[in-house]
Amino acid sequence: MPIFFDTHAHLDYPDYAPDLPEVVARAQAAGITKIISIGTSLDGSERAIRLAEKFQNVYAAVGWHPTEAEKAPSDLRPALREFARHPKVVAIGETGLDYHHLPNGTPVSRPAIKGDATKHAGLETGAPATAADNERYKQKQADIFQQQLEVAAEFGLNCVIHQRTAFDDTIAQMKPFIGKTRGVFHCFGETVARMKQVFEIGSLVSFTGIVTFKNAQNVRDCVTAAPLDKFMLETDCPYLAPVPYRGKRCEPAYVKEISEMVAQVKDCPLETLSAATCRMALKFFPKLNG
Ligand SMILES: [Zn+2]
Protein backbone atom coordinates (compact mmCIF):
# COMPACT_ATOMS: atom_id res chain seq x y z
CA MET A 1 0.00 0.00 0.00
CA PRO A 2 1.41 3.43 -0.92
CA ILE A 3 2.24 5.51 2.17
CA PHE A 4 1.29 9.17 2.59
CA PHE A 5 1.55 11.83 5.31
CA ASP A 6 -1.02 14.36 6.43
CA THR A 7 1.16 17.45 6.80
CA HIS A 8 -1.62 19.72 8.13
CA ALA A 9 -4.30 18.56 10.56
CA HIS A 10 -5.97 20.20 13.54
CA LEU A 11 -6.32 17.18 15.79
CA ASP A 12 -6.58 19.36 18.91
CA TYR A 13 -9.92 20.82 17.78
CA PRO A 14 -13.00 19.80 19.79
CA ASP A 15 -14.36 18.06 16.67
CA TYR A 16 -12.18 15.06 17.57
CA ALA A 17 -12.84 14.96 21.30
CA PRO A 18 -15.26 12.01 21.06
CA ASP A 19 -13.11 9.63 19.00
CA LEU A 20 -9.54 10.80 18.42
CA PRO A 21 -7.89 7.37 18.98
CA GLU A 22 -10.17 5.92 16.28
CA VAL A 23 -9.39 8.83 13.93
CA VAL A 24 -5.65 8.22 14.36
CA ALA A 25 -6.10 4.46 13.91
CA ARG A 26 -8.12 4.94 10.71
CA ALA A 27 -5.31 7.09 9.29
CA GLN A 28 -2.79 4.36 10.05
CA ALA A 29 -5.03 1.74 8.42
CA ALA A 30 -5.36 3.92 5.30
CA GLY A 31 -1.55 4.16 4.96
CA ILE A 32 -1.32 7.71 6.34
CA THR A 33 1.65 6.96 8.56
CA LYS A 34 2.55 10.44 9.86
CA ILE A 35 0.30 13.34 10.85
CA ILE A 36 1.37 16.88 11.77
CA SER A 37 -1.10 18.51 14.15
CA ILE A 38 -0.96 22.27 13.70
CA GLY A 39 -1.28 24.79 16.52
CA THR A 40 -3.18 28.05 15.99
CA SER A 41 -2.57 29.59 19.45
CA LEU A 42 -0.24 28.91 22.38
CA ASP A 43 -2.87 26.76 24.10
CA GLY A 44 -3.57 24.92 20.85
CA SER A 45 0.14 24.43 20.23
CA GLU A 46 0.53 22.93 23.68
CA ARG A 47 -2.39 20.59 22.97
CA ALA A 48 -0.72 19.56 19.70
CA ILE A 49 2.45 18.70 21.62
CA ARG A 50 0.50 16.60 24.13
CA LEU A 51 -1.07 14.69 21.22
CA ALA A 52 2.36 14.13 19.70
CA GLU A 53 3.47 12.67 23.02
CA LYS A 54 0.44 10.41 23.17
CA PHE A 55 0.39 9.09 19.61
CA GLN A 56 3.56 7.74 18.04
CA ASN A 57 2.64 8.81 14.48
CA VAL A 58 1.53 12.36 15.43
CA TYR A 59 3.90 15.37 15.35
CA ALA A 60 3.28 19.03 16.18
CA ALA A 61 3.71 22.48 14.65
CA VAL A 62 3.55 25.41 17.07
CA GLY A 63 2.37 28.90 16.22
CA TRP A 64 -0.34 31.54 16.20
CA HIS A 65 -2.85 31.93 13.36
CA PRO A 66 -3.08 35.39 11.72
CA THR A 67 -6.86 35.63 12.05
CA GLU A 68 -6.43 35.33 15.82
CA ALA A 69 -3.72 38.00 15.87
CA GLU A 70 -5.57 40.49 18.07
CA LYS A 71 -5.72 37.91 20.88
CA ALA A 72 -1.99 37.20 20.74
CA PRO A 73 0.36 38.34 23.51
CA SER A 74 2.76 41.09 22.44
CA ASP A 75 5.70 38.67 22.33
CA LEU A 76 5.13 35.04 21.35
CA ARG A 77 8.81 34.22 21.14
CA PRO A 78 9.60 33.00 24.68
CA ALA A 79 6.75 30.47 24.62
CA LEU A 80 7.51 29.34 21.08
CA ARG A 81 11.19 28.83 21.89
CA GLU A 82 10.20 26.62 24.80
CA PHE A 83 7.93 24.56 22.52
CA ALA A 84 10.41 24.42 19.64
CA ARG A 85 12.91 22.44 21.72
CA HIS A 86 10.50 19.53 21.95
CA PRO A 87 11.72 16.56 19.85
CA LYS A 88 8.36 16.19 18.09
CA VAL A 89 7.85 19.87 17.21
CA VAL A 90 8.66 19.82 13.51
CA ALA A 91 7.69 23.35 12.39
CA ILE A 92 6.53 26.83 13.36
CA GLY A 93 2.96 27.76 12.40
CA GLU A 94 0.47 28.13 11.30
CA THR A 95 1.45 31.70 10.72
CA GLY A 96 1.20 34.20 7.89
CA LEU A 97 -1.17 36.99 6.84
CA ASP A 98 -4.92 37.04 6.23
CA TYR A 99 -6.68 40.21 5.04
CA HIS A 100 -9.92 38.51 4.08
CA HIS A 101 -11.91 39.95 6.99
CA LEU A 102 -10.48 43.33 7.87
CA PRO A 103 -12.08 45.31 10.70
CA ASN A 104 -13.85 47.82 8.48
CA GLY A 105 -15.04 45.20 6.09
CA THR A 106 -13.20 44.03 3.01
CA PRO A 107 -13.49 43.10 0.22
CA VAL A 108 -14.36 46.71 -0.53
CA SER A 109 -17.72 45.76 -1.99
CA ARG A 110 -18.82 44.74 1.52
CA PRO A 111 -20.12 47.54 3.72
CA ALA A 112 -18.64 48.04 7.17
CA ILE A 113 -20.48 45.83 9.64
CA LYS A 114 -20.30 46.95 13.22
CA GLY A 115 -21.02 43.64 14.93
CA ASP A 116 -19.45 40.74 13.14
CA ALA A 117 -16.35 42.20 11.52
CA THR A 118 -15.29 44.47 14.37
CA LYS A 119 -15.78 41.69 16.91
CA HIS A 120 -13.75 39.34 14.74
CA ALA A 121 -10.83 41.71 14.89
CA GLY A 122 -11.16 41.97 18.66
CA LEU A 123 -11.97 45.66 18.51
CA GLU A 124 -14.24 47.50 20.89
CA THR A 125 -17.79 47.58 19.67
CA GLY A 126 -19.51 50.94 19.33
CA ALA A 127 -17.65 53.10 16.86
CA PRO A 128 -17.49 51.75 13.31
CA ALA A 129 -14.07 50.47 12.35
CA THR A 130 -11.92 52.75 10.25
CA ALA A 131 -9.05 52.46 7.82
CA ALA A 132 -6.74 53.07 10.79
CA ASP A 133 -8.22 50.01 12.51
CA ASN A 134 -7.42 48.00 9.39
CA GLU A 135 -3.84 49.16 9.49
CA ARG A 136 -3.52 48.35 13.18
CA TYR A 137 -4.93 44.85 12.56
CA LYS A 138 -2.55 44.24 9.65
CA GLN A 139 0.37 45.50 11.71
CA LYS A 140 -0.44 43.11 14.56
CA GLN A 141 -0.54 40.22 12.08
CA ALA A 142 2.79 41.31 10.62
CA ASP A 143 4.33 41.60 14.11
CA ILE A 144 3.44 38.06 15.18
CA PHE A 145 4.36 36.69 11.73
CA GLN A 146 7.78 38.31 12.10
CA GLN A 147 8.26 36.83 15.58
CA GLN A 148 7.40 33.36 14.28
CA LEU A 149 9.80 33.68 11.33
CA GLU A 150 12.52 34.71 13.77
CA VAL A 151 11.99 31.72 16.07
CA ALA A 152 11.89 29.39 13.07
CA ALA A 153 15.21 30.77 11.82
CA GLU A 154 16.77 30.48 15.29
CA PHE A 155 15.82 26.82 15.58
CA GLY A 156 16.44 25.82 11.97
CA LEU A 157 12.77 24.97 11.53
CA ASN A 158 10.52 25.71 8.57
CA CYS A 159 7.13 27.42 8.71
CA VAL A 160 3.56 26.47 7.90
CA ILE A 161 2.13 29.48 6.09
CA HIS A 162 -1.51 30.55 5.99
CA GLN A 163 -2.13 33.28 3.43
CA ARG A 164 -5.42 34.74 2.29
CA THR A 165 -5.87 37.91 0.21
CA ALA A 166 -2.38 38.92 1.35
CA PHE A 167 -0.10 37.13 -1.09
CA ASP A 168 2.32 39.95 -1.99
CA ASP A 169 2.80 41.07 1.61
CA THR A 170 3.41 37.47 2.72
CA ILE A 171 6.10 36.94 0.09
CA ALA A 172 7.67 40.34 0.90
CA GLN A 173 7.86 39.57 4.61
CA MET A 174 9.47 36.18 3.97
CA LYS A 175 12.12 37.39 1.53
CA PRO A 176 14.59 38.61 4.19
CA PHE A 177 14.49 35.08 5.66
CA ILE A 178 15.67 33.35 2.49
CA GLY A 179 18.41 30.95 3.51
CA LYS A 180 17.22 30.99 7.16
CA THR A 181 13.74 29.48 7.04
CA ARG A 182 11.27 28.39 4.36
CA GLY A 183 7.51 28.06 4.25
CA VAL A 184 4.94 25.64 3.00
CA PHE A 185 2.04 27.69 1.62
CA HIS A 186 -0.65 25.39 2.86
CA CYS A 187 -4.02 24.82 1.18
CA PHE A 188 -2.65 26.38 -1.97
CA GLY A 189 -5.39 27.85 -4.15
CA GLU A 190 -3.73 30.64 -6.08
CA THR A 191 -2.59 30.82 -9.71
CA VAL A 192 0.29 28.92 -11.30
CA ALA A 193 2.18 32.22 -11.65
CA ARG A 194 1.93 32.86 -7.91
CA MET A 195 2.95 29.26 -7.19
CA LYS A 196 6.14 29.98 -9.12
CA GLN A 197 6.75 33.04 -6.92
CA VAL A 198 6.51 30.73 -3.89
CA PHE A 199 9.10 28.39 -5.41
CA GLU A 200 11.36 31.34 -6.22
CA ILE A 201 11.78 32.17 -2.50
CA GLY A 202 12.60 28.52 -1.78
CA SER A 203 9.19 27.70 -0.33
CA LEU A 204 6.77 24.90 -1.18
CA VAL A 205 3.02 24.43 -1.47
CA SER A 206 0.62 21.80 -0.21
CA PHE A 207 -2.74 20.69 -1.53
CA THR A 208 -5.92 19.75 0.36
CA GLY A 209 -9.18 18.00 -0.54
CA ILE A 210 -10.15 21.08 -2.54
CA VAL A 211 -8.32 19.39 -5.40
CA THR A 212 -11.30 17.00 -5.66
CA PHE A 213 -13.89 19.80 -5.85
CA LYS A 214 -15.55 20.31 -9.20
CA ASN A 215 -15.04 24.10 -9.17
CA ALA A 216 -11.33 23.92 -8.28
CA GLN A 217 -9.73 23.75 -11.71
CA ASN A 218 -7.17 26.40 -10.68
CA VAL A 219 -5.93 24.06 -7.94
CA ARG A 220 -5.69 21.15 -10.41
CA ASP A 221 -3.78 23.45 -12.78
CA CYS A 222 -1.31 24.12 -9.97
CA VAL A 223 -1.01 20.37 -9.30
CA THR A 224 -0.25 19.81 -12.98
CA ALA A 225 2.37 22.56 -13.00
CA ALA A 226 4.03 21.73 -9.67
CA PRO A 227 7.22 19.63 -9.94
CA LEU A 228 7.04 16.43 -7.86
CA ASP A 229 9.67 17.79 -5.48
CA LYS A 230 7.84 21.02 -4.68
CA PHE A 231 4.60 20.01 -2.96
CA MET A 232 3.11 17.97 -0.14
CA LEU A 233 -0.35 16.68 0.72
CA GLU A 234 -2.58 17.61 3.66
CA THR A 235 -6.19 17.58 4.79
CA ASP A 236 -6.50 20.79 6.90
CA CYS A 237 -8.99 18.66 8.81
CA PRO A 238 -11.58 19.05 10.29
CA TYR A 239 -12.18 21.31 7.28
CA LEU A 240 -12.26 20.62 3.54
CA ALA A 241 -13.15 16.93 3.37
CA PRO A 242 -12.52 15.64 -0.17
CA VAL A 243 -15.20 14.15 -2.41
CA PRO A 244 -17.01 11.81 -1.58
CA TYR A 245 -16.99 13.12 2.02
CA ARG A 246 -17.39 16.78 1.08
CA GLY A 247 -19.27 18.75 3.75
CA LYS A 248 -18.62 16.15 6.46
CA ARG A 249 -15.96 16.25 9.18
CA CYS A 250 -12.61 15.65 7.50
CA GLU A 251 -9.87 13.43 8.98
CA PRO A 252 -6.29 12.41 8.11
CA ALA A 253 -7.33 9.07 6.54
CA TYR A 254 -8.80 11.07 3.64
CA VAL A 255 -5.32 11.93 2.36
CA LYS A 256 -5.89 8.67 0.51
CA GLU A 257 -8.66 10.23 -1.63
CA ILE A 258 -6.58 13.40 -2.08
CA SER A 259 -3.55 11.38 -3.22
CA GLU A 260 -5.64 9.43 -5.72
CA MET A 261 -6.92 12.65 -7.33
CA VAL A 262 -3.47 14.24 -7.37
CA ALA A 263 -1.96 11.12 -8.97
CA GLN A 264 -4.70 11.17 -11.60
CA VAL A 265 -4.18 14.88 -12.36
CA LYS A 266 -0.40 14.41 -12.58
CA ASP A 267 -0.87 11.20 -14.55
CA CYS A 268 1.67 9.40 -12.38
CA PRO A 269 1.52 6.14 -10.39
CA LEU A 270 0.48 6.42 -6.74
CA GLU A 271 3.80 4.83 -5.76
CA THR A 272 5.69 7.66 -7.46
CA LEU A 273 3.57 10.29 -5.71
CA SER A 274 3.99 8.50 -2.40
CA ALA A 275 7.78 8.40 -2.70
CA ALA A 276 8.03 12.03 -3.84
CA THR A 277 5.69 13.62 -1.28
CA CYS A 278 7.05 11.63 1.67
CA ARG A 279 10.64 12.41 0.67
CA MET A 280 9.71 16.11 0.43
CA ALA A 281 8.03 16.15 3.84
CA LEU A 282 10.96 14.39 5.54
CA LYS A 283 13.35 16.89 3.99
CA PHE A 284 11.22 19.93 4.79
CA PHE A 285 10.40 18.80 8.35
CA PRO A 286 13.65 17.01 9.36
CA LYS A 287 12.35 16.20 12.87
CA LEU A 288 9.64 14.03 11.23
CA ASN A 289 12.36 11.39 10.86
CA GLY A 290 12.50 11.01 14.65
ZN1 LIG B 1 -4.93 25.00 9.27
Side-chain angles (χ1 to χ4, degrees):
M1 179 168 57
I3 298 298
F4 290 95
F5 303 155
D6 185 353
T7 60
H8 194 119
H10 295 285
L11 297 185
D12 73 299
Y13 282 16
D15 309 66
Y16 301 109
D19 61 342
L20 186 59
E22 288 86 346
V23 168
V24 172
R26 277 197 294 274
Q28 199 73 21
I32 314 308
T33 58
K34 290 179 192 282
I35 304 166
I36 304 176
S37 193
I38 311 281
T40 53
S41 65
L42 292 181
D43 285 349
S45 297
E46 186 152 16
R47 287 196 297 272
I49 292 173
R50 298 287 96 86
L51 295 175
E53 288 170 343
K54 186 168 173 195
F55 298 102
Q56 196 229 327
N57 53 336
V58 174
Y59 297 77
V62 296
W64 198 290
H65 199 283
T67 59
E68 302 293 314
E70 295 269 315
K71 294 181 206 142
S74 58
D75 193 353
L76 287 171
R77 288 169 295 191
L80 289 181
R81 287 187 186 110
E82 198 71 28
F83 291 155
R85 291 190 183 97
H86 192 283
K88 292 190 87 179
V89 167
V90 301
I92 300 296
E94 64 188 278
T95 182
L97 300 173
D98 187 325
Y99 302 161
H100 191 66
H101 294 292
L102 290 177
N104 88 340
T106 50
V108 277
S109 57
R110 206 177 115 205
I113 302 164
K114 236 166 43 173
D116 159 50
T118 50
K119 200 162 81 218
H120 181 82
L123 300 167
E124 283 148 43
T125 47
T130 63
D133 291 325
N134 279 359
E135 283 318 304
R136 200 160 47 81
Y137 178 65
K138 284 177 164 181
Q139 189 56 50
K140 176 76 182 187
Q141 288 198 357
D143 289 348
I144 63 166
F145 186 22
Q146 188 71 16
Q147 292 169 11
Q148 293 177 80
L149 290 165
E150 285 172 22
V151 173
E154 274 174 46
F155 283 83
L157 294 172
N158 286 323
C159 296
V160 177
I161 303 293
H162 169 102
Q163 177 283 128
R164 195 172 181 197
T165 336
F167 184 80
D168 292 341
D169 283 0
T170 305
I171 295 281
Q173 201 169 340
M174 291 182 72
K175 270 190 179 162
F177 287 89
I178 291 175
K180 297 180 193 136
T181 184
R182 304 191 289 148
V184 53
F185 282 60
H186 106 93
C187 193
F188 198 77
E190 299 280 346
T191 60
V192 170
R194 283 186 161 183
M195 184 173 73
K196 288 182 176 157
Q197 281 182 262
V198 170
F199 299 158
E200 274 162 22
I201 62 162
S203 288
L204 307 177
V205 299
S206 63
F207 299 112
T208 61
I210 293 179
V211 73
T212 67
F213 297 178
K214 214 173 171 174
N215 60 355
Q217 189 55 44
N218 69 310
V219 176
R220 286 186 289 277
D221 291 344
C222 286
V223 168
T224 303
L228 274 171
D229 63 351
K230 291 278 188 252
F231 70 89
M232 298 183 286
L233 304 180
E234 58 159 311
T235 56
D236 200 18
C237 67
Y239 312 115
L240 304 174
V243 173
Y245 310 105
R246 190 171 179 178
K248 303 210 169 77
R249 183 188 74 171
C250 187
E251 61 176 69
Y254 300 166
V255 170
K256 187 173 188 290
E257 282 71 20
I258 297 168
S259 69
E260 285 164 359
M261 175 56 87
V262 168
Q264 191 185 317
V265 170
K266 288 208 85 62
D267 194 21
C268 81
L270 263 183
E271 289 70 18
T272 307
L273 185 68
S274 160
T277 54
C278 292
R279 194 187 309 124
M280 244 2 271
L282 291 169
K283 207 172 148 197
F284 190 79
F285 304 112
K287 286 162 81 180
L288 261 191
N289 290 287

